């Protein structure tokens, strides 16, 4: 059985973020408010984008992106433009590594609980129970979870825990025994929530990771002498 792959999901998210930026960057402009060594202040306008505008401010060891994309502060090297400057030898955008360089508590949420991923893990756990126990049919398990178990709530992590606790404690499974049905509790189902990676990267953070190297490119292009 294929495992849920958060890294593959991240790649898919990045592809969507890059495609979204490409579709909304047309007409974008940059204004240099300040340019004094590593002390910089750049203002960007995106007339076709939903986030409309953002600013990049740097000072020794820190870069902050703020505006319609949220607020993110990174710290790693003296000149943070060097950190985000595109390099052909490495990946253009590396959100997993860049996220490690965020200043703690300095900005928006990098990752958030994903109800979709929680549902995928639950479905995987049910499928594994079906494989382990011949008397459990996959279609029955789906019916219990998503129809008869209609009050199931996966919208928050706390709701997920309540839902699975109630499911494990209350759901009954019917199986034919001769001409009758024998009921038994759903102890066959195991939901190892502590092993699940329920958090996914914020779409706004990933979009910011696309914008930053692009912004550095615009700044570098401005410094290139004509001709």
């Amino acid at each position: 059985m294929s495992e849920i792959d958060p890294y593959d999901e991240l790649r898919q998210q990045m592809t969507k973020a890059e495609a979204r930026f490409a579709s909304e960057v047309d007409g974008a402009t940059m204004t240099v408010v300040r340019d004094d060594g590593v002390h910089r202040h750049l203002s960007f306008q995106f007339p076709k984008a939903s986030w409309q505008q953002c600013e990049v401010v740097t000072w020794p060891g820190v870069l902050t992106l703020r505006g319609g994309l949220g607020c993110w502060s990174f710290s790693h090297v003296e000149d943070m433009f060097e950190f985000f400057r595109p390099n052909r030898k490495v990946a253009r955008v590396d959100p997993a590594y860049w996220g490690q360089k965020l200043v703690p508590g300095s900005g928006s949420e990098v990752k958030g609980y994903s109800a979709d991923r929680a549902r995928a893990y639950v479905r995987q756990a049910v499928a594994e129970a079906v494989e382990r126990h011949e008397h459990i049919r996959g279609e029955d398990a789906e019916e219990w979870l998503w129809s008869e178990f209609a009050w199931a709530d996966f919208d928050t992590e706390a709701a997920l825990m309540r839902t699975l606790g109630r499911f494990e404690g209350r759901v009954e499974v019917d199986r034919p025994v001769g001409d009758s049905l024998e009921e038994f509790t759903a102890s066959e189902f195991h939901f190892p929530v502590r092993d699940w990676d329920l958090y996914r990267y914020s779409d706004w953070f990933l979009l910011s990771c696309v914008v930053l190297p692009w912004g550095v490119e615009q700044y570098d292009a401005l410094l290139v002498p004509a001709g």
Side-chain angles (χ1 to χ4, degrees):
M1 179 185 304
S2 61
E3 297 289 332
I4 294 168
D5 186 353
Y7 294 101
D8 181 62
E9 183 181 35
L10 174 57
R11 286 191 292 270
Q12 294 180 37
Q13 281 186 275
M14 282 305 311
T15 298
K16 291 180 180 178
E18 290 167 347
R20 177 179 179 180
F21 181 70
S23 69
E24 298 185 347
V25 69
D26 190 40
T29 61
M30 177 185 72
T31 301
V32 178
V33 181
R34 182 183 182 185
D35 187 15
D36 180 14
V38 295
H39 296 271
R40 307 183 186 93
H41 181 185
L42 309 180
S43 177
F44 297 92
Q45 300 294 324
F46 298 91
K48 293 188 177 181
S50 58
W51 63 88
Q52 296 185 338
Q53 62 82 32
C54 66
E55 295 178 299
V56 174
V57 179
T58 66
W59 60 98
V62 182
L63 178 149
T64 294
L65 171 70
R66 63 190 184 193
L69 292 164
C71 181
W72 318 93
S73 290
F74 302 84
S75 180
H76 185 52
V77 295
E78 179 75 4
D79 182 357
M80 287 300 292
F81 269 26
E82 289 293 336
F83 183 68
F84 289 106
R85 184 166 281 120
N87 186 329
R88 293 180 181 179
K89 296 181 181 180
V90 297
R92 175 182 174 87
V93 178
D94 191 348
Y97 179 61
W98 293 359
Q100 297 173 13
K101 307 307 176 184
L102 285 164
V103 178
S106 64
S108 306
E109 188 177 62
V110 176
K111 285 186 174 183
Y113 169 80
S114 171
D116 288 341
R117 188 180 289 182
R119 291 186 180 91
Y121 275 115
V122 170
R123 288 184 183 277
Q124 178 174 283
V126 170
E128 290 172 350
V130 171
E131 285 189 351
R132 289 194 303 270
H133 304 283
E134 294 182 357
H135 60 272
I136 301 178
R137 297 187 305 171
E139 56 268 30
D140 290 337
E142 290 287 320
E143 182 71 17
W144 302 325
L145 273 172
W146 314 114
S147 296
E148 294 179 19
F149 205 53
W151 49 263
D153 182 3
F154 300 97
D155 288 345
T156 66
E157 190 169 3
L160 169 72
M161 301 298 288
R162 288 196 301 269
T163 291
L164 297 183
R166 293 177 67 182
F167 179 81
E168 290 177 325
R170 293 180 53 189
V171 172
E172 293 181 339
V173 179
D174 295 336
R175 59 172 171 169
V177 178
D179 295 328
S180 63
L181 290 176
E182 177 183 349
E183 295 184 349
F184 60 98
T185 61
S187 59
E188 289 85 354
F189 293 91
H190 175 56
F191 301 100
V193 181
R194 294 184 182 277
D195 297 331
W196 294 351
D197 182 0
L198 296 171
Y199 286 72
R200 59 180 289 179
Y201 282 94
S202 157
D203 290 336
W204 289 116
F205 175 68
L206 297 184
L207 195 55
S208 297
C209 288
V210 177
V211 168
L212 279 169
W214 172 87
V216 174
E217 281 186 321
Q218 306 313 299
Y219 172 81
D220 288 345
L222 188 66
L223 299 182
V224 175

